[in-house]
Amino acid sequence: LLVLPRTDRDGAVRVAARLREALRDLRVAAGGGAPITITASIGVATAGPGRDNPAALYAAADEALYRAKASGKNRFELAAAVS
């Protein structure tokens, strides 16, 4: 879970994309064997000013996360606007 105060939808999308790319670029040794690639499925949800319902924001991000996983993994999905 990342909480990005004062970050709009475009900023959250940029962070999600950079995070996914940074994880992909890591080469992690797995038990002494060949390095493996790390992937990430990410759900992105944002709320505008005055819409501070943490439960709704969490639920929207969680739903977007499961859409990302179901759509082939190693991607991010955007939630509908949280009200």
Side-chain angles (χ1 to χ4, degrees):
L1 171 69
L2 292 176
V3 177
L4 306 169
R6 294 177 291 283
T7 303
D8 64 9
R9 187 176 183 90
D10 290 341
V13 165
R14 284 192 300 274
V15 170
R18 286 194 328 237
L19 176 61
R20 196 181 59 77
E21 291 166 4
L23 289 171
R24 180 199 62 211
D25 292 344
L26 287 176
R27 302 303 288 168
V28 177
I36 61 171
T37 300
I38 297 173
T39 63
S41 298
I42 302 169
V44 176
T46 58
R51 297 184 181 144
D52 57 350
N53 183 339
L57 191 58
Y58 180 85
D62 190 54
E63 188 270 329
L65 167 63
Y66 281 94
R67 275 200 333 269
K69 288 180 177 184
S71 298
K73 302 182 181 174
N74 196 33
R75 55 183 293 128
F76 64 88
E77 288 286 331
L78 300 173
V82 176
S83 53

